[in-house]
């Protein structure tokens, strides 16, 4: 099938299968941590804090991580980050097994995972180009990677809901710990012809400046990254409040919360499969704009859904919009950035995506405390729609300006 064409490459196939298992464990742990914190504290603000510390390192470290990845062997960095993540999951599992319900410790381990992820995500994304021999299949590989991520987003919370109800949080954390064994096995089986970069004489700070000048100097790349930053800051964090919707608004339990995550994951898979089937990447800007509008409107619908089934249906559409938005921007950057700047361009994508979400999560938690969860989510949906309108207006003006410049050049 055309949609699976990237799996013909051995390295990408090993990466795909190993990550498929590991990401299910990651989502099990993510769901269990959110439920555990809210069960112990009942605090919307602390939910935001946990999300904040797990993602804020990406805002601070992502550009630095991009420069590090560009200077060193990406494969070795990936192995190191995966081993460290495995140890973090094991520490969390043992802590909960022995009933050490220490919120500061949970926050500390979440911060550690965030630091590792700042390097891991940049490295994984930039290494993908080395796993696909025919570069025309790179957009398909990116879309399949997103499909895998979002299938895990369905399976992980669904399994976590069952495990949480039957056994408890510690089993979820041990499940994540064990899930790193297949991904490390697959990494060791890969045979990558990664080019180890020549040791740069430039300082990291100089390379950081070069990366910023490159991204900010390209209006197409910078506008896409700014749109993602706005979405990550004001819209995507609505998901932080879903434990409150599940427990307090719809009077549910851990299983109910897992349905919210799985519903969004289902929508994400639909988008990912659509993107994987694309034969060209020429319409990525239009796809991103449409997806952003769908995302903003569906968040608005979730805010005031009167019954649980309606809320879950709208959650599916939030997954459709968010997945298509982020994946289209990711693909655009990877296919348009020059090779020497790819990791640094991706690092700004990671910073705009993963780095802004924690700040937004704190804002969402504060808004929910001040105005209530429904109004907080409503405000986020409105901002999403307005941001999309501004982006579309900017692109139209840009296109009009280019058309005028083209006619002027022809006249001369």
């Amino acid at each position: 099938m055309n949609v699976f064409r990237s799996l013909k490459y051995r390295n990408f196939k090993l990466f795909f299968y190993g990550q498929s298992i590991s990401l299910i464990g990651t989502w099990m742990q993510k769901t269990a941590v959110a439920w555990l914190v809210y069960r112990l504290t009942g605090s919307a603000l602390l939910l935001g804090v946990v999300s904040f510390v797990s993602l804020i390192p990406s805002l601070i470290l992502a550009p630095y991580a991009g420069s590090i990845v560009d200077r060193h062997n990406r494969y070795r960095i990936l192995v190191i980050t995966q081993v460290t993540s495995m140890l973090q999951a094991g520490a969390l599992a043992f802590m909960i097994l022995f009933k050490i319900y220490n919120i500061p410790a949970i926050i500390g381990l979440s911060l550690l995972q965030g630091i590792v992820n700042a390097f891991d995500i940049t490295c994984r994304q930039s290494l993908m180009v080395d796993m696909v021999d025919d570069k025309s299949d790179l957009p398909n590989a990116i879309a399949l990677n997103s499909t895998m991520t979002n299938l895990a987003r369905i399976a992980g919370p669904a399994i976590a809901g069952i495990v949480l109800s039957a056994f408890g949080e510690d089993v979820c954390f041990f499940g994540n710990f064990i899930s790193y064994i297949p991904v490390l096995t697959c990494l060791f089986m890969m045979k990558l012809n990664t080019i180890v970069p020549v040791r740069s004489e430039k300082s990291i700070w100089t390379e950081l400046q070069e990366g910023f000048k490159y991204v900010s100097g390209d209006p197409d790349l910078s506008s896409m990254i700014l749109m993602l930053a706005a979405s990550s800051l004001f819209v995507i964090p609505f998901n932080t409040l879903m434990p409150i919707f599940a427990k307090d608004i719809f009077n549910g339990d851990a299983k109910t919360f897992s349905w919210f995550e799985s519903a969004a994951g289902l929508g994400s898979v639909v988008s990912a499969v659509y993107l994987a089937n694309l034969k060209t990447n020429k319409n990525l800007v239009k796809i991103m704009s449409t997806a952003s509008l769908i995302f903003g409107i569906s968040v608005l619908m979730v805010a005031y859904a009167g019954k649980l089934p309606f809320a879950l249906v709208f959650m599916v559409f939030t997954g459709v919009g968010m997945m298509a938005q982020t994946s289209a921007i990711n693909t655009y950057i990877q296919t348009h950035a020059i090779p020497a700047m790819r990791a640094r361009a991706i690092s700004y994508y990671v910073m705009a995506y993963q780095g802004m979400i924690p700040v937004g999560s704190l804002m969402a938690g504060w808004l929910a405390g001040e105005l209530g969860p429904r109004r907080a989510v409503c405000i986020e949906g409105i901002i999403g729609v307005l941001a999309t309108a501004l982006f579309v207006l900017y692109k139209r003006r840009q296109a009009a300006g280019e058309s005028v410049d083209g006619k002027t050049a022809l006249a001369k």
Side-chain angles (χ1 to χ4, degrees), residues 62-71 74 118 121-123 125-127 129 211 214-215 333-334 337-350:
Y64 177 77
S67 294
I68 291 290
V69 170
D70 274 338
R71 293 160 67 102
R74 298 170 185 178
I121 296 171
T122 301
C123 188
Q125 295 288 345
S126 61
L127 191 64
V129 70
Y214 172 70
V215 172
I333 292 169
Q334 294 219 38
I338 61 174
M341 291 288 180
R342 184 177 291 115
R344 274 169 278 185
I346 291 169
S347 72
Y348 281 97
Y349 164 85
V350 174

Side-chain angles (χ1 to χ4, degrees), residues 44-100:
L45 183 59
L46 275 176
L47 272 178
V49 169
V50 170
S51 180
F52 177 85
V53 299
S54 66
L55 294 171
I56 193 61
S58 293
L59 178 62
I60 301 167
L61 298 176
Y64 177 77
S67 294
I68 291 290
V69 170
D70 274 338
R71 293 160 67 102
H72 295 86
N73 188 310
R74 298 170 185 178
Y75 173 79
R76 289 181 183 174
I77 294 173
L78 186 59
V79 171
I80 292 169
T81 59
Q82 293 294 301
V83 170
T84 307
S85 295
M86 183 180 187
L87 294 174
Q88 184 268 356
L92 190 55
F94 278 106
M95 189 176 77
I96 304 305
L97 176 66
F98 291 107
K99 309 296 182 187
I100 305 172

Side-chain angles (χ1 to χ4, degrees), residues 211-230:
F212 178 77
K213 286 179 182 177
Y214 172 70
V215 172
S216 61
D218 187 316
D220 294 320
L221 284 178
S222 58
S223 63
M224 294 285 266
I225 289 174
L226 284 172
M227 178 62 200
L228 180 60

